[in-house]
Amino acid sequence: MSPLGISGLAHLFGILAFILLLVWLLHYREGIDYDSDKGFRVFNSYDGIPNHTKRKESQEVCSHALHLIAIVLGIVGLNAVFKFHGMENIPNVYSLHSWIGIVTFCLFGLQWLFGFVVFMLQGASVNTRAKVLPWHKVGGRALLFMAVCAAETGLMEKSCFLTNLKLLHGRESNLINFTGLAILLFGVFVNFSVGFS
C-alpha cells in the first residue's frame, strides 16, 4: 500500500472515530454543554475533543499551530473533567485512564514546547536539530500510543461506569466498541504513515 493510501486510511478512521463519538454523546449521553448544570453534559464536552496527527517538516507552522490548539482543547477537556468530578463528588485522578491521560497530556505539552524551541525558533544548531529529529519523531509516536491507550481506557471506564448504573444498552455498547476499534485503527494507520514517511 502506498504512503498516501495509508495516510488516507488514518484520516478515514480518525473521522469515523470522531463521528461515532459524536453520535454516542449526542444520541445516548444527553449531548455536550460545558456550561450545563448537568454533570454528564459537562463531562461530555471532554469526551468530544478529538486528537490529530503530525505533519511533515514542510508544514511545520501548521503542525505547531494544530498541536497548540490540541493543548488548548486538552486544557478545556481536563477542566471539564475536574468540574464534572466536583459536581458529582467523584474523586479526581483515581483510575489508570486518568493517570495515563494526565501523563500523556503533560508529555505532549513538553514535546510541543521542545519542538517549538528547537525546530520552530531554531534554538539549536542545524547539526543538533538533525540529531534530535529522530528522537522527536519517536517521542511523538510514543505519545500517539499513549493517547490511544488513554482513549481506549477512557471508553472502557465510561462503559463500566454506565453498566454498573444499568444505563448502558446493547446498541450503545456496540457503538462504544466500534468507536474503540476506530480509535485503535486510527492510531495504527497514523503510526504506519509516520513510519513510512
Side-chain angles (χ1 to χ4, degrees), residues 82-140:
F82 287 116
K83 181 178 178 181
F84 166 72
H85 283 201
M87 293 170 77
E88 301 293 324
N89 294 318
I90 299 172
N92 291 316
V93 195
Y94 66 91
S95 68
L96 179 61
H97 162 65
S98 61
W99 290 16
I100 292 170
I102 288 176
V103 168
T104 302
F105 181 75
C106 291
L107 290 175
F108 179 76
L110 290 173
Q111 170 89 339
W112 181 85
L113 185 62
F114 176 80
F116 184 75
V117 170
V118 171
F119 299 108
M120 244 343 245
L121 297 180
Q122 298 182 354
S125 69
V126 173
N127 189 29
T128 301
R129 287 197 307 266
K131 288 179 183 177
V132 168
L133 183 60
W135 289 100
H136 187 66
K137 286 182 179 180
V138 168

Side-chain angles (χ1 to χ4, degrees), residues 8-188:
L9 284 172
H11 284 86
L12 172 72
F13 285 115
I15 291 167
L16 179 62
F18 184 67
I19 289 169
L20 290 173
L21 188 64
L22 281 179
V23 168
W24 178 41
L25 296 176
L26 297 175
H27 183 70
Y28 291 102
R29 296 287 111 216
E30 303 180 28
I32 301 169
D33 184 2
Y34 182 79
D35 293 323
S36 176
D37 292 335
K38 290 183 168 187
F40 284 107
R41 294 186 86 185
V42 172
F43 185 77
N44 290 345
S45 62
Y46 160 75
D47 286 338
I49 297 175
N51 287 322
H52 61 90
T53 63
K54 290 228 172 225
R55 306 287 184 237
K56 291 189 177 228
E57 188 176 311
S58 63
Q59 299 169 329
E60 238 175 73
V61 172
C62 182
S63 174
H64 285 287
L66 287 173
H67 284 92
L68 182 59
I69 290 168
I71 289 171
V72 170
L73 291 174
I75 291 168
V76 171
L78 287 171
N79 190 42
V81 169
F82 287 116
K83 181 178 178 181
F84 166 72
H85 283 201
M87 293 170 77
E88 301 293 324
N89 294 318
I90 299 172
N92 291 316
V93 195
Y94 66 91
S95 68
L96 179 61
H97 162 65
S98 61
W99 290 16
I100 292 170
I102 288 176
V103 168
T104 302
F105 181 75
C106 291
L107 290 175
F108 179 76
L110 290 173
Q111 170 89 339
W112 181 85
L113 185 62
F114 176 80
F116 184 75
V117 170
V118 171
F119 299 108
M120 244 343 245
L121 297 180
Q122 298 182 354
S125 69
V126 173
N127 189 29
T128 301
R129 287 197 307 266
K131 288 179 183 177
V132 168
L133 183 60
W135 289 100
H136 187 66
K137 286 182 179 180
V138 168
R141 289 170 84 173
L143 286 168
L144 169 68
F145 301 144
M146 292 172 69
V148 167
C149 187
E152 300 290 4
T153 56
L155 285 173
M156 280 305 304
E157 184 177 312
K158 185 74 167 187
S159 178
C160 290
F161 179 72
L162 293 171
T163 300
N164 289 340
L165 294 176
K166 310 278 191 255
L167 296 174
L168 189 66
H169 308 288
R171 286 185 176 172
E172 183 178 4
S173 179
N174 289 337
L175 183 61
I176 292 169
N177 290 341
F178 280 115
T179 303
L181 286 174
I183 291 169
L184 177 64
L185 291 171
F186 169 72
V188 166

